[in-house]
Amino acid sequence: AQSVTQLDSHVSVSEGTPVLLRCNYSSSYSPSLFWYVQHPNKGLQLLLKYTSAATLVKGINGFEAEFKKSETSFHLTKPSAHMSDAAEYFCVVSSQAGTALIFGKGTTLSVSS
Amino acid sequence: DAGITQSPRHKVTETGTPVTLRCHQTENHRYMYWYRQDPGHGLRLIHYSYGVKDTDKGEVSDGYSVSRSKTEDFLLTLESATSSQTSVYFCAISERGTSALSTDTQYFGPGTRLTVL
């Protein structure tokens, strides 16, 4: 069965410092992997998507993620946090059966000035 | 932003009453999904549709039914609402679904906050 684990439920950074949100996945096949962001009281927005092309994926707003098969990880990074990055972030893996997406429990990113 | 609207955006109802949530899309995408979001659980799939009148169950389908009579509309019904169904409900759409090669991107609506008293 596929699963995804977000290793931190809450991450706090200062504005201008790097962001690292950690995600490990479990899958018996080569999955598609996504990061979505949800700002308070908003819907989910796709940040980036990995589908077995380049292992380093660039997304919107300066975010990127690196697929590491040997470590079964798909960590999200950004070189310099901005106040507007404060939100909840979800790591998502595709399900082999049907069209389901399997969501991690989310990481809340706080950014202080 | 993908053209997805959900109605109502907020609803308060009482235990035992029927509730229907509507998702409407203007993208003509084949696949539509209903998820619920609860603290500590992320999003979990309730039901999805792969075409008009074609639907299937997701991870947490008990107590929910769906219908899709037109490409653009996907309805989620709680026949008899319970307090455990208090949640935020998200609709999503995608063009092609999942194949052996890749998973199509899902785009999400703004959500409906449902409170069952």
Side-chain angles (χ1 to χ4, degrees):
Chain A
Q2 298 77 43
S3 66
V4 59
T5 302
Q6 293 184 242
L7 299 172
D8 306 292
S9 59
H10 198 164
V11 170
S12 296
V13 301
S14 299
E15 191 173 23
T17 64
V19 175
L20 170 63
L21 305 183
R22 300 182 295 164
C23 173
N24 286 349
Y25 71 92
S26 172
S27 179
S28 56
Y29 65 103
S30 295
S32 294
L33 293 158
F34 308 78
W35 276 98
Y36 281 85
V37 61
Q38 184 180 30
H39 288 92
N41 299 312
K42 299 289 187 182
L44 282 82
Q45 180 183 20
L46 180 69
L47 273 180
L48 49 81
K49 171 182 177 181
Y50 166 78
T51 55
S52 73
T55 56
L56 183 62
V57 182
K58 294 187 182 299
I60 61 172
N61 300 333
F63 284 94
E64 62 182 35
E66 185 172 9
F67 174 72
K68 292 187 177 181
K69 186 174 182 179
S70 61
E71 299 177 9
T72 61
S73 69
F74 191 56
H75 301 333
L76 182 71
T77 60
K78 183 174 180 178
S80 176
H82 191 273
M83 295 293 287
S84 62
D85 294 328
E88 188 158 21
Y89 292 78
F90 293 97
C91 182
V92 183
V93 64
S94 59
S95 167
Q96 186 176 20
T99 58
L101 292 182
I102 299 169
F103 282 75
K105 295 184 178 182
T107 298
T108 301
L109 176 64
S110 300
V111 182
S112 58
S113 57
Chain B
D1 290 345
I4 311 169
T5 56
Q6 294 184 230
S7 59
R9 294 294 312 281
H10 301 271
K11 186 171 182 65
V12 179
T13 191
E14 294 189 350
T15 298
T17 59
V19 176
T20 295
L21 309 182
R22 178 179 183 243
C23 177
H24 179 79
Q25 60 145 329
T26 58
E27 305 297 322
N28 200 36
H29 282 0
R30 178 182 174 190
Y31 289 81
M32 299 184 75
Y33 314 79
W34 278 108
Y35 291 87
R36 61 177 289 173
Q37 182 180 28
D38 303 292
H41 288 277
L43 275 75
R44 293 177 292 175
L45 182 67
I46 304 171
H47 283 278
Y48 69 97
S49 169
Y50 48 96
V52 173
K53 298 187 179 179
D54 292 323
T55 64
D56 205 350
K57 296 180 179 179
E59 176 188 358
V60 291
S61 59
D62 287 350
Y64 302 94
S65 62
V66 291
S67 64
R68 191 169 178 199
S69 58
K70 298 185 290 184
T71 298
E72 58 267 34
D73 290 326
F74 192 32
L75 304 181
L76 177 71
T77 298
L78 291 65
E79 300 290 349
S80 178
T82 68
S83 58
S84 64
Q85 294 175 312
T86 292
S87 187
V88 181
Y89 292 85
F90 285 98
C91 174
I93 65 173
S94 71
E95 192 168 13
R96 294 182 300 276
T98 297
S99 70
L101 299 176
S102 71
T103 296
D104 197 20
T105 298
Q106 293 185 17
Y107 299 95
F108 287 80
T112 293
R113 184 173 297 275
L114 175 67
T115 302
V116 184
L117 301 176

